[in-house]
Amino acid sequence: MLEWACQRAGYTAESFAKRYPNYKIGAWITGDIQPTLKQLEAFANATHTPVGALLLPEPPSEPLPIPDFRSIGIGPPRRPSANLLDTIYLCQQRQDWYRSYARTNRFEEVGFVGSATSAADAEAIANQLRPTLAIAADERCNIPWTKALSRLIEKVEIQGVLVMVSGVVGSNNTRKLNPQEFRGFALADPMAPVVFINGSDSRAAQIFTLAHEIGHLSLAESALDDANARTMPDHQVEQWCNRFAAELLVPRDELISVIRRDENLDDQMQRLAEYFKVSTLVILRRLYDLSRIERQVFWKAYDAELERLRKFARNGANGGNFYYTTMARAGRRLTRALISSALEGQGSFTESLHLLGFRKMATFHELARLAGVAP
């Protein structure tokens, strides 16, 4: 059970012992020393494990609560980490709260959720939804590339979707989410659809993830993903959502009209990425889909560009504003609803603070001001 708890938290027993030398994990496992109850509680806290689970005769089954579409068909199913599970559980709690709030306030259902099936043409559905869920062509020219993600999130939230972007579990900065494990997930619901985006991923990748998860919502499909513009998934639903995302972000007809045949690949992907306000990786994939570049050229160029973007992200990392980060983690739409509900006496401050991920009322009031809920 001790080894299971370590593995669940992303450690081996050896790496856990190095990280936490005060714990006698090796001696506990061999049975040479028995941990006290206080030590066991501290160990459970360090591994993000319910202390009662450590007293079970064998590890409990912890299936993912939503369908797993990560790299379908490649290797055995991956055991979900504690960080991933706790993130999904938190988002489900937020979704449950908002669903009740929406029904109490007689909100309408989100119209595009469940509006399509995987038998429909993904590009056609993307074209139907683009006016309300994507940045218009004339608007793209007037916003900087760095603002594209926040503007896209704003448009999606206006339609009733709760969009949450975070690189950590809740507000715990010591529990970082690994984009190699997952890039995002969708929780489909007609009243309270949720999109969660792994904020540890590059900003460029987050744009594609958002569009991909919108595809899942249009199919009324909850899903956990590691989708990106490079992958060519086997699963029909993932193929559909990738086509949907690509067409939503980079319309085929518009792309064809602005391609320059005499332009080299590097210059072309940089220019088109700025034009469509998407990642150069998405542009590469669209050029490949249009047979403008060969498969081997696509793979080589994609991997080189991905490494460049990773270096750029590492060099440009910064902490950001606490309040705006908090709002992004819970989503502006949910944040405003939680604050309004508490201030109006519909809900409790305790529940709002828990779902927003902090404890101080001073933080609550400042966030209310920034969110435009209170003067």
Side-chain angles (χ1 to χ4, degrees), residues 8 30 70 72 84 98 126-127 148 178 195 229 271 273 277 280 287 322 332 342 346 364 372:
R8 183 177 181 273
T30 60
R70 296 173 298 167
I72 296 295
L84 170 56
Y98 189 83
N127 287 324
N178 183 0
V195 167
R271 178 178 62 84
K277 298 300 187 295
T280 47
L287 293 173
F322 168 78
R332 180 176 287 270
Q346 294 183 21
F364 178 93

Side-chain angles (χ1 to χ4, degrees), residues 8 54 70-72 114 124 156 198 244 265 269 301 313 323 325 371:
R8 183 177 181 273
L54 297 173
R70 296 173 298 167
S71 300
I72 296 295
V156 174
N198 190 335
F244 172 91
L265 181 57
M269 69 180 182
Y323 295 102
T325 297

Side-chain angles (χ1 to χ4, degrees), residues 72-85:
I72 296 295
I74 302 177
R78 285 178 274 179
R79 173 187 290 174
S81 69
N83 286 350
L84 170 56
L85 288 170

Side-chain angles (χ1 to χ4, degrees), residues 307-328:
E307 181 58 27
R308 186 188 73 82
L309 291 172
R310 283 174 175 164
K311 289 180 180 178
F312 179 80
R314 288 194 294 268
N315 294 336
N318 58 73
N321 179 282
F322 168 78
Y323 295 102
Y324 288 115
T325 297
T326 299
M327 207 177 319

Side-chain angles (χ1 to χ4, degrees), residues 130-168:
R130 185 179 299 109
T132 55
L133 294 174
I135 304 172
D138 57 346
E139 185 183 358
R140 289 200 308 260
C141 301
N142 299 316
I143 63 172
W145 190 94
T146 53
K147 300 294 184 182
L149 177 61
S150 59
R151 178 58 179 138
L152 190 59
I153 290 173
E154 181 183 359
K155 293 207 68 170
V156 174
E157 287 209 311
I158 287 173
Q159 299 306 311
V161 180
L162 308 177
V163 182
M164 306 169 194
V165 184
S166 181
V168 301

Side-chain angles (χ1 to χ4, degrees), residues 327-342:
M327 207 177 319
R329 286 172 174 174
R332 180 176 287 270
R333 188 178 189 88
L334 177 67
T335 298
R336 289 174 60 88
L338 284 165
I339 293 173
S340 296
S341 176

